[in-house]
Amino acid sequence: MIPPQEASARRREIEDKLKQEEETLSFIRDSLEKSDQLTKNMVSILSSFESRLMKLENSIIPVHKQTENLQRLQENVEKTLSCLDHVISYYHVASDTEKIIREGPTGRLEEYLGSMAKIQKAVEYFQDNSPDSPELNKVKLLFERGKDALESEFRSLMTRHSKVVSPVLILDLISGDDDLEAQEDMTLEHLPESVLQDVIRISRWLVEYGRNQDFMNVYYQIRSSQLDRSIKGLKEHFHKSSSSSGVPYSPAIPNKRKDTPTKKPVKRPGHEHDFRVKHLSEALNDKHGPLAGRDDMLDVETDAYIHCVSAFVKLAQSEYQLLADIIPEHHQKKTFDSLIQDALDGLMLEGENIVSAARKAIVRHDFSTVLTVFPILRHLKQTKPEFDQVLQGTAASTKNKLPGLITSMETIGAKALEDFADNIKNDPDKEYNMPKDGTVHELTSNAILFLQQLLDFQETAGAMLASQETSSSATSYSSEFSKRLLSTYICKVLGNLQLNLLSKSKVYEDPALSAIFLHNNYNYILKSLEKSELIQLVAVTQKTAERSYREHIEQQIQTYQRSWLKVTDYIAEKNLPVFQPGVKLRDKERQIIKERFKGFNDGLEELCKIQKAWAIPDTEQRDRIRQAQKTIVKETYGAFLQKFGSVPFTKNPEKYMKYGVEQVGDMIDRLFDTSA
């Protein structure tokens, strides 16, 4: 049982808690009431805000839509105004650009092309949108005027700045072949760089926008003229130089002109100039005096033509490099073909003139003119690979011009060779043309000089002969084949020469002089063959040629020695009288001895007088023949003197014994010496 005090305390505690709970509950009710009130107020505010928002939305949305429409309208207006401005600008193009077009593009190409672009756009606009507009005709007319002005500017730039290449510069360009480093620096500047760029821009515009190809004709006509004049200028340079100094101007000479880019000496393209061409020209021409100058001119013409051929190749290569920058690719080959025609035709015509002159010269038997064909043909064949490369893409007729000229020259060259061989064989026997001293005949020296000249043109001459062969193998002849043909030809000429010399030798009444004549000519031929490569060339088809000539020479020496028999026969042992020593000679025996002495003396004097005027140019042969003859005569005469010198066959021995043995030897030593 709980005590009363604890129960009372417990009750009070519970009552206090209850009271606190009631107070809390009362606070919560008050708070809930306030919260409800606040909620009602918030709901009322939100409802009012929602109502206001709906009203605002109902007011703003129509305004927004109107604003959006206004903005769209404004954009359309702006676009319309822009289009109007753009369209209106086309109507102003003519007036805005007319002054520039009228003044032309000179010095203001960039601005001018900009104006032409505006005019072109205006033309396109009016053609698409207002084809009947008078403005279209106005801008069209302006465009055509502008295009014509650009064409005129193109022509003007090309005409003003295209210069003839100086001969000195061309010679440097040709000689640069031997120096690769120098050749790299030898690019010709046909147009200044700024002018070149303007020309390129104009050409591209004319092709792309002008739809015009006439400027290409203008280009090739102007450049063709410059190319042709450059080559003709080089030819004139050779003529002027040869007439003033005899030597073409060389870039190596001091005080060179400023347009010479290098300091290389002039060389004949492909080969050094051979002096023997001139020498042989004079020797082969049986006319003298006034024609000597003609031979010099032939040499100059040959040299000039060879240089002009090389110049054409180099200048044509340079022209194509220039053309490739200016002319559209698909028109380059055709334009280049047209560009080079005048210069190429000039070279081919000159070549044909050389062939024609050679043909006429063959008829006259003037083989000096024919010689010009050999170095020219050799150079043409050497240059042909470069020619073919330069002419790639040109018309077949253009490509065939050089091969045609080469064929003509080979044909006329072969004709010249054949006619020369026939001329050697059929050269008439003219007494007045025979050397009175029995020395080498002009025909022999001419023939040998001609054959020696062929050594410098072995391949060329061999090819000439091979080109006339009709056998199937000749179509693809080898160098060995042409060498054999040339050897056969040389042997033919030598054979014809030998036959003609034999015929000519019969003109001499004295067989001894005839023998000396043949000896001199055979010896000259043999020595000439041995001194050059001719003997090796002859040996290709005739192994025994050298031995044969030596045998001929010995035969003629023996024939000559027989001329002394009429002298030595008088004193020969077999023809002397027999007598007994110590026995007085009879009158008949004394007379015979006198006749022998007189016959020997007269014969010796006569032969020495006659043969002293004869000539043996070869010192070695002359000494050999003298010595051999001196030995024979001195031995015979010495034996005769020993036998009859002390015999009393006369009261005047000095009348018959006029010469001592050594005197006879001295007299023979003076044979073949016109100066003695």
Side-chain angles (χ1 to χ4, degrees):
M1 186 138 169
I2 300 172
Q5 291 179 345
E6 290 181 8
S8 177
R10 179 92 174 163
R11 188 182 302 112
R12 282 195 300 273
E13 183 180 352
I14 292 170
E15 287 176 354
D16 289 339
K17 286 183 178 181
L18 181 60
K19 185 178 180 179
Q20 288 177 356
E21 291 293 334
E22 286 177 351
E23 288 176 356
T24 301
L25 181 61
S26 176
F27 177 75
I28 291 171
R29 276 196 195 97
D30 290 340
S31 296
L32 286 173
E33 287 177 358
K34 289 180 181 180
S35 177
D36 288 341
Q37 187 63 40
L38 288 172
T39 299
K40 288 179 182 179
N41 290 340
M42 182 59 69
V43 170
S44 175
I45 291 170
L46 289 174
S47 297
S48 175
F49 185 70
E50 181 181 7
S51 174
R52 289 180 180 180
L53 280 178
M54 289 181 66
K55 289 180 180 180
L56 182 61
E57 182 180 354
N58 292 333
S59 300
I60 289 299
I61 286 177
V63 173
H64 174 71
K65 288 182 178 180
Q66 288 178 356
T67 301
E68 199 175 51
N69 290 334
L70 287 174
Q71 287 177 339
R72 192 177 297 112
L73 288 173
Q74 184 178 2
E75 289 176 358
N76 290 338
V77 168
E78 288 177 352
K79 288 181 179 179
T80 302
L81 289 174
S82 176
C83 289
L84 286 173
D85 289 340
H86 182 66
V87 170
I88 291 171
S89 69
Y90 288 131
Y91 285 87
H92 293 161
V93 165
S95 58
D96 291 344
T97 59
E98 186 174 9
K99 182 181 178 183
I100 296 174
I101 300 303
R102 184 174 63 251
E103 292 175 352
T106 304
R108 56 196 297 184
L109 181 62
E110 196 68 34
E111 181 184 7
Y112 194 89
L113 291 178
S115 297
M116 288 299 294
K118 292 178 182 179
I119 296 171
Q120 184 181 6
K121 289 180 180 178
V123 170
E124 292 172 353
Y125 171 79
F126 288 120
Q127 282 179 336
D128 293 339
N129 298 282
S130 184
D132 298 327
S133 170
E135 291 297 329
L136 175 60
N137 294 330
K138 188 181 294 185
V139 291
K140 266 188 174 182
L141 181 62
L142 199 58
F143 183 82
E144 291 300 322
R145 284 172 56 190
K147 184 173 72 172
D148 292 343
L150 284 172
E151 291 176 9
S152 297
E153 179 69 4
F154 182 90
R155 179 189 294 274
S156 176
L157 288 174
M158 290 299 303
T159 303
R160 289 202 317 269
H161 298 282
S162 291
K163 305 297 182 185
V164 173
V165 183
S166 73
V168 177
L169 197 58
I170 296 174
L171 290 173
D172 277 342
L173 187 66
I174 295 172
S175 63
D177 283 345
D178 299 327
D179 190 337
L180 294 178
E181 184 177 347
Q183 192 176 9
E184 292 176 359
D185 299 331
M186 282 296 296
T187 302
L188 291 176
E189 185 183 73
H190 293 289
L191 298 172
E193 183 61 28
S194 59
V195 174
L196 176 61
Q197 294 306 318
D198 285 350
V199 168
I200 291 172
R201 290 210 62 189
I202 293 174
S203 70
R204 289 178 179 173
W205 189 93
L206 289 172
V207 170
E208 186 174 356
Y209 302 109
R211 304 292 189 270
N212 186 293
Q213 297 180 8
D214 292 343
F215 77 95
M216 299 181 198
N217 296 332
V218 171
Y219 176 86
Y220 91 70
Q221 289 168 1
I222 294 173
R223 294 308 307 172
S224 174
S225 174
Q226 300 303 326
L227 175 61
D228 191 40
R229 289 168 60 194
S230 296
I231 294 175
K232 288 178 178 176
L234 178 62
K235 183 179 179 182
E236 292 172 3
H237 172 77
F238 271 85
H239 291 165
K240 290 178 182 177
S241 298
S242 64
S243 62
S244 60
S245 63
V247 179
Y249 175 79
S250 169
I253 296 175
N255 300 323
K256 286 174 57 177
R257 297 199 307 225
K258 293 182 179 179
D259 57 358
T260 308
T262 65
K263 296 183 179 181
K264 298 292 180 183
V266 174
K267 298 179 181 179
R268 167 174 286 187
H271 287 270
E272 295 294 333
H273 179 63
D274 191 343
F275 175 73
R276 282 188 296 171
V277 173
K278 180 175 181 290
H279 183 194
L280 182 56
S281 296
E282 295 173 349
L284 288 180
N285 200 323
D286 57 4
K287 307 178 185 69
H288 301 285
L291 290 181
R294 190 201 68 169
D295 292 330
D296 290 337
M297 285 306 299
L298 281 175
D299 202 32
V300 172
E301 289 287 347
T302 301
D303 218 29
Y305 187 73
I306 286 174
H307 278 82
C308 287
V309 169
S310 292
F312 172 81
V313 173
K314 294 300 179 186
L315 293 178
Q317 289 172 342
S318 183
E319 286 292 343
Y320 193 83
Q321 292 172 359
L322 177 66
L323 176 143
D325 291 331
I326 298 173
I327 304 300
E329 184 176 358
H330 54 287
H331 292 287
Q332 288 174 3
K333 295 295 184 182
K334 182 179 179 181
T335 305
F336 180 71
D337 196 342
S338 301
L339 189 155
I340 62 173
Q341 284 303 314
D342 286 349
L344 182 58
D345 286 345
L347 283 178
M348 296 302 107
L349 177 60
E350 193 171 346
E352 290 297 340
N353 288 340
I354 291 170
V355 172
S356 178
R359 187 177 291 111
K360 294 176 182 177
I362 291 173
V363 175
R364 300 192 307 269
H365 300 298
D366 172 16
F367 294 96
S368 62
T369 304
V370 180
L371 289 173
T372 60
V373 172
F374 285 81
I376 291 173
L377 176 58
R378 178 175 65 184
H379 186 65
L380 289 178
K381 295 180 81 169
Q382 289 173 341
T383 314
K384 187 176 181 297
E386 287 186 271
F387 248 98
D388 293 342
Q389 185 176 5
V390 169
L391 299 182
Q392 278 183 354
T394 57
S397 58
T398 302
K399 293 178 183 177
N400 292 334
K401 287 181 179 179
L402 180 64
L405 179 59
I406 288 175
T407 299
S408 296
M409 286 195 170
E410 282 189 331
T411 302
I412 200 64
K415 170 71 172 168
L417 291 175
E418 193 63 33
D419 277 36
F420 182 81
D422 292 342
N423 190 57
I424 293 296
K425 181 179 180 180
N426 301 318
D427 186 69
D429 299 329
K430 298 177 181 177
E431 293 186 21
Y432 64 85
N433 199 34
M434 294 293 290
K436 299 184 183 303
D437 57 0
T439 190
V440 178
H441 196 279
E442 182 184 13
L443 181 69
T444 303
S445 60
N446 288 353
I448 293 300
L449 282 170
F450 188 87
L451 295 181
Q452 286 175 340
Q453 180 66 16
L454 293 186
L455 285 176
D456 298 323
F457 305 101
Q458 289 187 45
E459 292 185 9
T460 304
M464 285 177 176
L465 296 169
S467 67
Q468 304 306 304
E469 290 292 309
T470 56
S471 62
S472 58
S473 61
T475 58
S476 58
Y477 57 86
S478 63
S479 59
E480 185 63 30
F481 175 73
S482 60
K483 188 175 183 179
R484 290 188 65 82
L485 284 178
L486 184 57
S487 175
T488 302
Y489 172 77
I490 292 173
C491 292
K492 177 182 178 180
V493 172
L494 292 175
N496 290 349
L497 177 61
Q498 187 172 341
L499 290 173
N500 201 319
L501 289 173
L502 283 170
S503 175
K504 289 182 185 301
S505 69
K506 296 174 183 177
V507 172
Y508 296 111
E509 296 179 359
D510 191 334
L513 181 56
S514 177
I516 291 297
F517 171 76
L518 290 175
H519 163 272
N520 283 333
N521 282 271
Y522 291 156
N523 184 65
Y524 177 82
I525 294 170
L526 178 59
K527 290 296 177 66
S528 299
L529 293 178
E530 290 176 335
K531 287 179 181 178
S532 65
E533 297 177 13
L534 281 172
I535 194 66
Q536 289 91 342
L537 202 52
V538 168
V540 172
T541 53
Q542 281 197 13
K543 305 292 185 184
T544 62
E546 186 174 359
R547 185 181 68 192
S548 177
Y549 273 110
R550 294 193 187 281
E551 291 174 353
H552 289 320
I553 291 169
E554 290 302 319
Q555 288 173 3
Q556 299 311 317
I557 292 176
Q558 292 172 14
T559 301
Y560 162 75
Q561 288 176 340
R562 284 197 290 271
S563 70
W564 282 85
L565 290 176
K566 64 182 179 180
V567 177
T568 57
D569 275 354
Y570 282 105
I571 58 175
E573 181 72 27
K574 62 181 179 178
N575 296 324
L576 295 178
V578 179
F579 61 92
Q580 296 296 327
V583 178
K584 185 180 180 180
L585 295 175
R586 290 175 295 179
D587 291 343
K588 183 178 181 181
E589 291 173 335
R590 286 196 297 270
Q591 186 61 34
I592 291 174
I593 294 173
K594 289 178 181 179
E595 289 176 355
R596 295 293 183 269
F597 269 108
K598 186 177 185 304
F600 173 78
N601 292 336
D602 291 346
L604 176 65
E605 291 170 355
E606 181 185 1
L607 281 185
C608 287
K609 180 181 178 181
I610 293 173
Q611 295 186 8
K612 185 177 72 171
W614 298 354
I616 299 180
D618 188 323
T619 305
E620 182 181 344
Q621 286 290 317
R622 183 169 65 239
D623 292 343
R624 176 191 169 202
I625 292 173
R626 281 174 177 171
Q627 186 60 43
Q629 200 58 53
K630 187 167 63 172
T631 300
I632 295 171
V633 176
K634 283 176 68 177
E635 286 180 356
T636 308
Y637 185 59
F640 180 74
L641 275 181
Q642 186 177 6
K643 188 170 185 179
F644 295 101
S646 58
V647 174
F649 66 91
T650 179
K651 294 179 180 180
N652 301 307
E654 66 277 0
K655 177 180 178 182
Y656 297 99
M657 291 183 286
K658 295 171 63 174
Y659 304 105
V661 174
E662 293 305 320
Q663 280 183 291
V664 171
D666 291 341
M667 292 173 69
I668 295 175
D669 277 336
R670 289 194 292 273
L671 297 179
F672 316 117
D673 188 357
T674 55
S675 64

